[in-house]
Amino acid sequence: MQNSAIWLVIVLAFVAANLPFVSNRFFLVFPLKKATKSIWLRLLELLILFFVVGFIGRALEARIGQNYPQHWEFYAVSVAMFLVLAFPGYVLRYMVKRHPAPSRP
């Protein structure tokens, strides 16, 4: 149970960290007036998803046993790790050059 809960949180964090870079909709649901999301809106979405994954992790920890007290070091490392997990989505969104589709005559 404990091992599967750990892997569930890691996979959930990876998926959640990349969600802001996958779609131009806010949380994959709400369409925006502009065609693309700004980087600031993506970072806001990333921050909200960080807290959602953290809440789920704390809930799973409480279900397994006792919640251990965490200090600022834990949160600094978890933010850094969440940003590292978001790197593939960031690279695909901003660094991979997309070629336009060839036009047909």
Side-chain angles (χ1 to χ4, degrees):
M1 170 75 178
Q2 184 177 3
N3 197 20
S4 61
I6 292 169
W7 280 106
L8 175 67
V9 171
I10 291 172
V11 169
L12 184 65
F14 179 77
V15 170
N18 287 292
L19 278 180
F21 302 105
V22 172
S23 173
N24 282 327
R25 291 176 170 240
F26 194 63
F27 289 113
L28 295 174
V29 178
F30 306 109
L32 301 172
K33 291 182 181 181
K34 291 173 38 175
T36 60
K37 282 195 284 190
S38 69
I39 186 68
W40 299 110
L41 191 57
R42 291 183 199 277
L43 290 176
L44 174 67
E45 192 174 354
L46 191 68
L47 180 68
I48 293 169
L49 288 170
F50 168 75
F51 285 115
V52 168
V53 170
F55 177 75
I56 291 171
R58 291 289 281 188
L60 285 173
E61 184 182 17
R63 186 166 188 230
I64 291 172
Q66 174 182 341
N67 275 347
Y68 294 100
Q70 307 296 344
H71 300 290
W72 70 269
E73 295 94 343
F74 171 79
Y75 296 108
V77 169
S78 62
V79 166
M81 195 162 43
F82 201 75
L83 290 175
V84 168
L85 289 174
F87 187 70
Y90 176 82
V91 167
L92 287 175
R93 172 61 63 182
Y94 292 109
M95 297 180 143
V96 173
K97 188 171 190 164
R98 294 192 171 91
H99 299 287
S103 61
R104 294 185 179 182

